[in-house]
Amino acid sequence: MFLTDEQKRMRDGERGEPVQVAMEMLCALGEIYGAEKLIPIKSAHCAGLSLKSHGIAGMKWVEDMAAKGAKVVVPTTMNVIGVDRSRDLGLPEDWVVPQLRIEKGYEAMGCFGTSSCVPYYYSFLPKFGEHIAWAESSAVVFTNSVIGARDNREGGPSAWAAGITGFTPYYGLHLDENRTGDILFRVTTELHGIADYGALGNYVGKIVGEKIPVFENLGHPTTEELVYFGAAMASAGGVALFHAIGLTPEAPDRETVFKGKKCETVELGKKELEQGYANLTSGKSRDVDFVALGCPHCSLTQVAQIAGMLAGKRVKDGVTMWIHTNMAVKAMAKELGYVKLIEDAGAVLTQDLCVVLGNPEVLGFKTLATHSPKMAFYAPGGNGLDVWYGSEEKCVQAALTGRWEG
Ligand code: F3S
């Protein structure tokens, strides 16, 4: 891979050990994927920041890099972590303390302690065509598809290395020729709400793997529905980019998105939608003891909707309800009175936390109700929870009654 003289000096240690380590990582990655060069990036997003991903060895490595003077050179945001920095959720101390040390280590390197998988909801919004190095599969698929930024599905270490150097290897979805569609999906059923989009996304993700799906007749999704749709495909498959004809910026029409490439066409109707719901449901007992919403983190609109559903009601004794968002949305929700509605109902609006990475199983929960296709996908294997998957309305109902209906 070609390196400029400046990049060679970085690799050879002229700017200190952290830059050298980061450059060595990027060079190795570039060689593996056949990149011709490194290109400058506008921003990075580090993921895999939970204690579950880092372990104690990873925590010590982060602290070591920070102590040796590592500093990011482009705006670098941080993904969710395994705790809520604003409150005690009852998670064990030997989990919370190292998790906070990891967070502090990245902050010492100049990363923004955003602790969210949706930093694009506030301040950190990439532009169309911009090269970025973001990790977190749900954020990658959103920035690539809905915004039209150029991003590979980075891992935590490669996103960190890109933030430290300001470069990323030029391969994969940074190249125009790798962004054309692979399979056309014609949607023949109406979609209503996040759960429908999430269920269909799960169904498609399982079929396409890492290919680029193109959708025709996807309806008129909200931003949040597109976020959950992408997150579902990125978790059930390895989708990092999708196009929706007439909706997403690189897909004004079929010709532009396929560039003459022959493609298979698949119809997505009611049956496929129902299969998506079935894939995401593993509940055995209809007695629900845990309700979690906000994976990816809720927008202010979602928080307002859920608060409205809870207003004047009460979460059933024995049921825990967590609604996940980030510090910025929570601060706004507090000012606007939504936090009070949620807390008066006995639910909790968390910040920073990813429920999948936060070990909720140690609190003894057995059966989860969620509207999140990503959480429903990971929670059975990752957290040992049985899952009921459905709309926000059904999840709120489950919180109020302790039963999953329908
Ligand atoms: Fe975000 Fe964690 Fe869900 S990273 S998308 S809250 S699994």
Side-chain angles (χ1 to χ4, degrees):
M1 185 172 66
F2 171 80
L3 295 181
T4 64
D5 289 345
E6 183 208 7
Q7 289 165 348
K8 281 183 193 153
R9 287 197 293 273
M10 291 163 83
R11 182 203 56 195
D12 295 342
E14 200 173 274
R15 295 221 201 136
E17 187 185 327
V19 172
Q20 182 176 27
V21 168
M23 197 50 106
E24 281 170 354
M25 278 186 198
L26 296 177
C27 289
L29 202 62
E31 295 297 340
I32 290 167
Y33 287 103
E36 65 180 75
K37 60 181 178 180
L38 295 172
I39 52 168
I41 53 156
K42 292 286 187 190
S43 64
H45 179 68
C46 292
L49 306 179
S50 80
L51 181 61
K52 227 176 205 174
S53 311
H54 268 63
I56 295 298
M59 176 195 79
K60 288 184 178 159
W61 181 84
V62 171
E63 290 181 334
D64 182 47
M65 286 290 118
K68 286 174 175 159
K71 288 283 176 213
V72 293
V73 295
V74 292
T76 301
T77 43
M78 292 169 62
N79 208 40
V80 291
I81 51 177
V83 299
D84 175 340
R85 286 172 293 175
S86 71
R87 69 174 72 234
D88 179 4
L89 288 168
L91 294 164
E93 202 176 316
D94 61 356
W95 172 267
V96 174
V97 172
Q99 175 64 84
L100 292 176
R101 282 175 60 179
I102 293 169
E103 172 86 17
K104 287 254 166 302
Y106 279 94
E107 283 180 2
M109 292 190 249
C111 300
F112 289 104
T114 43
S115 300
S116 181
C117 40
V118 292
Y120 46 82
Y121 277 164
Y122 54 97
S123 292
F124 304 98
L125 184 67
K127 292 196 201 70
F128 178 84
E130 228 171 58
H131 294 282
I132 60 176
W134 284 33
E136 169 46 35
S137 63
S138 71
V140 172
V141 69
F142 183 83
T143 54
N144 262 324
S145 315
V146 181
I147 297 171
R150 308 275 158 131
D151 189 12
N152 282 323
R153 203 167 138 135
E154 300 293 344
S158 64
W160 171 83
I164 292 290
T165 61
F167 297 109
T168 196
Y170 191 42
Y171 75 98
L173 294 174
H174 290 285
L175 300 165
D176 282 351
E177 61 264 35
N178 294 331
R179 298 178 70 88
T180 53
D182 292 319
I183 305 180
L184 179 66
F185 289 93
R186 193 176 297 126
V187 182
T188 60
T189 186
E190 283 191 19
L191 302 171
H192 300 286
I194 277 174
D196 273 7
Y197 279 93
L200 200 70
N202 170 277
Y203 180 86
V204 172
K206 279 181 172 271
I207 297 177
V208 295
E210 294 182 6
K211 291 190 179 138
I212 299 176
V214 178
F215 298 92
E216 209 168 56
N217 194 27
L218 195 59
H220 303 282
T222 61
T223 303
E224 290 82 357
E225 285 162 354
L226 287 171
V227 169
Y228 278 60
F229 185 55
M233 288 188 278
S235 50
V239 175
L241 167 65
F242 70 87
H243 300 292
I245 294 174
L247 271 180
T248 56
E250 292 169 81
D253 51 50
R254 265 201 210 184
E255 179 46 37
T256 308
V257 83
F258 286 110
K259 296 203 169 48
K261 201 158 110 186
K262 276 208 160 48
C263 70
E264 181 191 348
T265 302
V266 177
E267 297 236 329
L268 296 173
K270 208 161 174 285
K271 195 169 108 245
E272 288 73 22
L273 181 61
E274 283 170 3
Q275 184 59 54
Y277 272 93
N279 293 344
L280 291 167
T281 299
S282 56
K284 296 178 191 82
S285 163
R286 284 185 179 268
D287 292 331
V288 168
D289 56 0
F290 183 35
V291 178
L293 305 174
C295 161
H297 276 173
C298 284
S299 67
L300 185 62
T301 313
Q302 287 175 285
V303 172
Q305 284 166 347
I306 297 162
M309 291 178 208
L310 287 170
K313 304 191 176 114
R314 190 79 202 153
V315 171
K316 189 177 164 60
D317 280 350
V319 178
T320 297
M321 182 177 193
W322 288 352
I323 303 151
H324 302 287
T325 190
N326 50 64
M327 193 192 289
V329 168
K330 188 176 161 196
M332 286 189 283
K334 190 168 181 196
E335 286 298 314
L336 295 170
Y338 302 128
V339 172
K340 179 158 180 5
L341 290 177
I342 289 168
E343 289 182 350
D344 284 353
V348 176
L349 183 67
T350 73
Q351 66 173 63
D352 312 319
L353 181 67
C354 165
V355 73
V356 173
L357 299 172
N359 264 0
E361 61 274 20
V362 302
L363 300 176
F365 303 130
K366 296 274 179 289
T367 305
L368 166 73
T370 185
H371 68 155
S372 163
K374 182 167 174 180
M375 202 188 298
F377 181 80
Y378 285 121
N383 308 98
L385 297 170
D386 286 341
V387 178
W388 292 102
Y389 173 76
S391 66
E392 294 77 11
E393 288 82 359
K394 279 192 170 186
C395 292
V396 169
Q397 205 49 34
L400 300 176
T401 62
R403 292 277 299 169
W404 184 263
E405 301 294 346

